[in-house]
Amino acid sequence: MTARSVLSLLLVIVLAACVSAQQPPNTNALARNALDILLRGDYQTLRGMFNQQMLNAVSEQMLETQIGPQVKALGQVKSIGEPMVQEVQGVYPVIFPVQFSGADVDIVITIDTSSRIAGLFLRPAQPPRQQAGPAWTAPAYVNAAAF
């Protein structure tokens, strides 16, 4: 095998790795669909969206007896905010701020690169990020050279 063939093969492998590590194009839509399924209590369908690790860790019974009652205890859904997605170690947590009649929570649904659910959890709502205000400028009486 020539050096040129080896380099070509390596390039193909690297490009394939880069393509496989990209965010699935429909991450937000997949996560929103999963959220809607969770909120209506269709745990069999939700479980069908899990990756193998989630299937091994979370049974349909666990969804029905532990996670479902926690969601229902929050009350009626009043609003669902815009999702925020980020990449964390090759998976994509999608955070939905959900306002229930009883509490505000963030529902985090993590999507893997195979477009499967790799994580699902609820956490107390995080405060909205404040936009940065105007840059601070020193008053006219400050002598910057003194510092």
Side-chain angles (χ1 to χ4, degrees):
M1 191 174 256
T2 68
R4 187 175 191 162
S5 327
V6 171
L7 287 175
S8 296
L9 181 61
L10 286 174
L11 180 61
V12 169
I13 292 170
V14 168
L15 288 174
C18 289
V19 168
S20 68
Q22 291 179 351
Q23 177 179 349
N26 51 356
T27 302
N28 284 359
L30 284 167
R32 178 55 196 249
N33 186 39
L35 175 64
D36 292 340
I37 291 168
L38 171 68
L39 293 174
R40 74 173 180 256
D42 185 357
Y43 305 121
Q44 183 177 13
T45 300
L46 182 65
R47 217 168 159 267
M49 300 172 73
F50 287 179
N51 68 9
Q52 192 59 50
Q53 288 176 312
M54 283 290 288
L55 285 170
N56 293 340
V58 181
S59 67
E60 189 174 338
Q61 181 180 7
M62 182 182 289
L63 288 168
E64 290 173 355
T65 61
Q66 295 177 22
I67 297 169
Q70 289 178 17
V71 172
K72 288 180 181 146
L74 297 168
Q76 293 295 317
V77 174
K78 293 170 70 177
S79 68
I80 299 173
E82 287 298 313
M84 296 168 282
V85 65
Q86 55 194 359
E87 189 269 335
V88 179
Q89 298 180 352
V91 294
Y92 301 89
V94 183
I95 304 163
F96 292 95
V98 182
Q99 185 179 35
F100 288 91
S101 57
D104 294 347
V105 298
D106 289 340
I107 298 179
V108 183
I109 299 173
T110 303
I111 305 295
D112 67 14
T113 56
S114 299
S115 298
R116 309 295 290 173
I117 295 175
L120 169 68
F121 68 95
L122 285 68
R123 68 179 188 196
Q126 304 297 305
R129 292 185 176 174
Q130 298 290 327
Q131 290 188 347
W136 182 83
T137 55
Y141 60 82
V142 173
N143 180 3
F147 296 102

